[in-house]
Amino acid sequence: MHHHNVSHGDCKEDNIMADNSALFDHPPHPQLPYMRRDFKGLVSRVTSRTICPVKYYIIDFGLSQFYGSGDVRLKTPPWGGDRTVPEHLLPNAPPCDPFPVDVYCIGNIIREGYLDGSEYLRLRPKKGFEFMRELVTDMVNNDPKKRPTMDEVVSRYDKIVVGLSEWKLRSPVITAGDFYTIFHSIFHWTKQIFRIMRRIPAIPKA
C-alpha cells in the first residue's frame, strides 16, 4: 500500500485476517469452529499451516487515504484503533505523517503480540522472537522520522529470516507461562524431522 502512496490508517490486530480454508476439508463455522459451516458434521482435524499455508490480509480501509505525488502527507490526529501512537498523544497534537504511524502500529502489533505482551489486551509474550527486537524497536520509535519506511521494514525482515537457522525456523512457538514438557518437545521435533525428510520447507509459501 505504501509503495502506491496509500496509508492504511487503522493497522491493528483485529484488522489482520487469515484465509484458513486450506486447513480444513470443509469451511468451519465462524462461531463453532469445530463444526462445518453447513452444520452437516464436524470439520476435519486442523492441518498444519506449514504443510497447507494460509494467506493473510489487511482489512478495513475506511480510514485509508491516497496521496498524489504533490500532496502534503499530513493528517490531523487522532485516528485508528491504536491509542498508543506517540504523535497522537502530544498535547494539541499537530497534523502528522500517516505513513510512519502505519509503521508504528504494525510494529506495536508484533511488540504486544509476541515480544512483550499486553496487560490491556491480555496478551502474553511468546518465547523465541527476540530476533525481531531491534527491528520492532525501530518501528515503534517515539520519533516518527527515525522509524524505517515500510519498504525498509520488509527488506530488513527478509534479511533477518535468511540469517536464521533451520533449527530456529522450526522451533515451537511457546507462550510465556505455558507448561511445556519434554514430551511436548519430543512430539514437536519428531514432526519436524519427518517434514525435513519430506522436504517440506520451514517457511511455506501461500
Side-chain angles (χ1 to χ4, degrees):
M1 291 182 66
H2 285 197
H3 188 70
H4 295 284
N5 299 317
V6 178
S7 63
H8 184 274
D10 198 13
C11 297
K12 54 181 181 175
E13 184 183 17
D14 52 2
N15 277 342
I16 299 177
M17 297 291 169
D19 177 5
N20 64 359
S21 57
L23 302 178
F24 305 92
D25 57 352
H26 293 87
H29 192 275
Q31 295 297 322
L32 301 172
Y34 56 87
M35 291 292 296
R36 286 169 48 168
R37 188 176 298 171
D38 56 12
F39 278 97
K40 291 184 177 180
L42 302 177
V43 296
S44 65
R45 184 178 179 182
V46 180
T47 304
S48 168
R49 283 174 288 183
T50 303
I51 298 174
C52 296
V54 302
K55 287 187 177 181
Y56 295 88
Y57 300 89
I58 293 180
I59 65 168
D60 190 357
F61 300 96
L63 297 176
S64 298
Q65 188 167 345
F66 170 76
Y67 293 86
S69 57
D71 292 341
V72 177
R73 294 185 174 187
L74 292 175
K75 188 174 182 179
T76 301
W79 68 81
D82 191 331
R83 305 302 183 188
T84 68
V85 178
E87 298 94 301
H88 295 185
L89 299 177
L90 295 172
N92 300 316
C96 59
D97 189 339
F99 290 87
V101 172
D102 280 354
V103 171
Y104 173 91
C105 292
I106 293 292
N108 199 38
I109 291 171
I110 301 170
R111 177 172 62 177
E112 294 183 337
Y114 294 90
L115 295 175
D116 298 337
S118 168
E119 291 186 11
Y120 175 74
L121 297 175
R122 297 183 179 179
L123 296 174
R124 289 181 290 161
K126 309 293 190 296
K127 296 181 180 180
F129 284 90
E130 283 301 315
F131 62 87
M132 291 288 294
R133 176 69 67 180
E134 183 177 352
L135 174 57
V136 170
T137 298
D138 289 346
M139 293 173 71
V140 298
N141 195 304
N142 285 337
D143 185 347
K145 294 181 179 179
K146 294 182 179 179
R147 295 173 201 154
T149 65
M150 202 66 81
D151 283 344
E152 290 170 343
V153 169
V154 173
S155 177
R156 287 177 59 179
Y157 175 77
D158 288 342
K159 290 179 180 178
I160 290 172
V161 172
V162 169
L164 297 177
S165 67
E166 185 81 4
W167 176 272
K168 183 64 176 178
L169 292 173
R170 294 185 183 274
S171 295
V173 176
I174 305 172
T175 301
D178 279 0
F179 190 61
Y180 192 79
T181 68
I182 185 64
F183 300 105
H184 290 108
S185 182
I186 291 172
F187 180 71
H188 172 81
W189 288 110
T190 299
K191 288 194 302 181
Q192 296 307 315
I193 290 171
F194 277 106
R195 288 173 184 172
I196 292 172
M197 293 172 62
R198 293 170 59 189
R199 299 182 182 277
I200 297 174
I203 300 181
K205 293 183 178 180

